[in-house]
Amino acid sequence: MTAPYSLLVLPGDGIGPEVMAEVVKVIDWFQANRGMSFDVSHDLVGGSAYDKHGVPLADETMAKAQQVDAVLLGAVGGPKYDDLDFSLKPERGLLRLRKEMDLFANLRPAQCFDALADFSSLKREVVTGLDILIVRELTSGIYFGEPRGIHDDNNTPENEGGRVGINTQRYTSGEIRRVARSAFELAKRRGNRVCSMEKANVMESGILWREEVQWVHDNEYPDVELSHMYADNGAMQLVRNPRQFDVIVTDNLFGDLLSDAAAMLTGSLGMLPSASLGAPMENGRPKALYEPVHGSAPDIAGQGKANPIACILSFAMALRYSFDQGDAAAELERAVEKVLADGARTADLMGPGGGTPVSTSEMGDRIVAALSTRT
Ligand code: NAD
């Protein structure tokens, strides 16, 4: 039995609780069959926290999140909360978690399951076997840099309208080095290759980015293969030949765009996990929040239609990146692959090739059953 891994489960709103219930089945299976022990506590975030506490994340929940090995979140939001003051909106709960845990590295895998290759916007032969990981810097760059704002400017014939909008791309060496380290660490557990993307040809911050990533490589990770690519070429290469990549590391803005583009290589929103990691804690594990990319899907909430796989794959990421249980993570991913190969499809996956329609809980049950057939 491992020492207990502490896990804070925050199901959230809409389909969040439905998909999280399936993850709990998976956690129970690993406890019962793989000698792992999880110390799981449940709490509220988003609209459900607002309903109970009047805020989208209670201070006690925030404090708990700072103490556990990993936080697993479902989704937040819904039309019921649309008219709330900005500071009370469900999304603020999630943003508070990310900010106070200082989660600077956002991990978005793009993995193509063979059974779903026809869902991709690209040809099957281009995406079959695809398994890349985009590491996006999440807490700095142009979304946070100062000065920023919209100001009055000279109203001249050249500037009809007379205003100027400003955002600043700003990165320090330290911010670049810490996210680069995350990318190299992750590459060591995968294909051992990192491609760093920026626009060093036209941006000084891009030159610094390239130099600092190279510095971290040369001084700390010389055994990991490093290449550099301009981000516009990176976008092109992602749709031309995505399998050439293993880990991509890039800034906040380019990462925002490139990770969404990469997501579509694999098909449905219901399949996409993510992780956000911060600095290592005393026990050596990084601060960590795992969550599906999708939102609370109010249009299908409560109907048993939600695909739980994105949330289950987020837990697989927790196994790999927080608990160093890479074999268990791979086992879970293979179980998902088997269930899909056998034809089980939640509504979002009904498309080319048909399949057997299953509900949220049936999908979870089948994944647990597929795990069990491997004992
Ligand atoms: P959404 O991701 O919730 O839904 C987009 C579409 O995808 C919907 O048609 C939905 O039914 C479908 N979908 C999403 N997840 C699915 C799943 N697991 N299985 C099957 N179908 C799925 O995005 P939205 O509709 O733009 O936003 C709805 C609410 O979620 C809003 O309140 C928004 O602010 C919030 N949101 C939260 C997060 C988050 O918690 N991280 C992310 C995005 C949106």
Side-chain angles (χ1 to χ4, degrees):
M1 209 50 141
T2 59
Y5 302 133
S6 58
L7 202 54
L8 174 62
V9 171
L10 302 174
D13 310 319
I15 63 168
E18 298 169 48
V19 295
M20 196 60 84
E22 304 314 305
V23 179
V24 170
K25 291 178 187 169
V26 171
I27 295 173
D28 290 346
W29 186 89
F30 275 98
Q31 297 212 94
N33 296 281
R34 286 292 175 269
M36 290 181 204
S37 162
F38 291 95
D39 179 3
V40 185
S41 55
H42 294 254
D43 212 327
L44 302 171
V45 68
S48 59
Y50 174 79
D51 288 340
K52 179 151 188 225
H53 302 296
V55 286
L57 187 77
D59 290 344
E60 306 83 70
T61 317
M62 186 66 241
K64 251 192 257 175
Q66 296 283 21
Q67 281 154 17
V68 291
D69 293 327
V71 179
L72 197 57
L73 188 139
V76 296
K80 183 177 161 194
Y81 309 102
D82 280 353
D83 296 331
L84 285 179
D85 183 71
F86 188 69
S87 64
L88 296 175
K89 282 194 186 292
E91 290 74 11
R92 302 306 297 175
L94 180 51
L95 293 177
R96 181 175 178 198
L97 281 166
R98 287 181 185 155
K99 181 160 186 280
E100 293 191 21
M101 292 170 76
D102 196 13
L103 303 172
F104 57 81
N106 182 232
L107 280 53
R108 290 269 298 263
Q111 195 174 5
C112 187
F113 291 96
D114 202 36
L116 300 183
D118 292 326
F119 272 82
S120 173
S121 49
L122 299 186
K123 293 190 202 88
R124 169 176 272 279
E125 58 268 28
V126 178
V127 292
T128 300
L130 178 73
D131 181 9
I132 62 182
L133 179 63
I134 299 189
V135 181
R136 164 189 171 194
E137 199 291 325
L138 199 60
T139 53
S140 185
I142 199 159
Y143 294 156
F144 297 93
E146 297 283 347
R148 62 185 298 157
I150 300 175
H151 306 291
D152 288 335
D153 199 35
N154 289 336
N155 197 343
T156 60
E158 295 77 40
N159 185 20
E160 186 192 341
R163 294 193 299 164
V164 59
I166 301 170
N167 291 93
T168 303
Q169 167 86 333
R170 181 180 188 279
Y171 270 108
T172 63
S173 306
E175 288 167 343
I176 300 168
R177 287 185 187 189
R178 67 181 186 173
V179 75
R181 282 188 188 103
S182 296
F184 287 121
E185 284 295 332
L186 293 163
K188 277 174 33 182
R189 301 182 198 194
R190 298 171 39 97
N192 210 39
R193 290 183 293 125
V194 171
C195 179
S196 170
M197 295 188 185
E198 28 55 22
K199 291 278 290 175
N201 50 342
V202 286
M203 296 169 74
E204 284 76 5
S205 58
I207 296 173
L208 185 73
W209 183 279
R210 185 175 284 224
E211 289 176 358
E212 295 297 350
V213 173
Q214 188 69 48
W215 187 94
V216 174
H217 172 266
D218 296 350
N219 288 280
E220 299 175 19
Y221 298 92
D223 297 336
V224 179
E225 192 182 312
L226 171 66
S227 59
H228 301 275
M229 195 178 272
Y230 297 139
D232 50 341
N233 183 29
M236 212 154 61
Q237 296 299 329
L238 260 182
V239 289
R240 193 185 71 85
N241 176 19
R243 280 182 307 199
Q244 70 184 281
F245 298 113
D246 177 25
V247 174
I248 293 171
V249 64
T250 189
D251 73 15
N252 203 342
L253 173 62
F254 297 139
D256 196 1
L257 307 182
L258 293 171
S259 60
D260 271 8
M264 280 303 101
L265 302 177
T266 66
S268 167
L269 197 51
M271 295 292 299
L272 297 169
S274 80
S276 301
L277 305 182
M281 298 182 284
E282 258 175 32
N283 61 12
R285 295 185 182 129
K287 286 252 159 109
L289 170 75
Y290 298 89
E291 56 179 324
V293 169
H294 63 71
S296 59
D299 53 332
I300 58 166
Q303 300 170 37
K305 287 185 183 166
N307 183 351
I309 293 179
C311 204
I312 288 174
L313 292 177
S314 300
F315 175 65
M317 292 185 81
L319 286 171
R320 182 173 283 124
Y321 299 124
S322 280
F323 307 132
D324 222 3
Q325 294 279 358
D327 289 348
E331 187 177 12
L332 180 52
E333 287 159 357
R334 280 196 306 273
V336 170
E337 185 152 30
K338 178 175 187 311
V339 167
L340 293 171
D342 289 347
R345 298 282 185 271
T346 41
D348 57 309
L349 301 179
M350 292 304 281
T356 311
V358 297
S359 67
T360 308
S361 65
E362 277 173 294
M363 183 60 101
D365 290 342
R366 282 179 185 232
I367 290 168
V368 169
L371 282 167
S372 297
T373 56
R374 291 162 189 277
T375 49

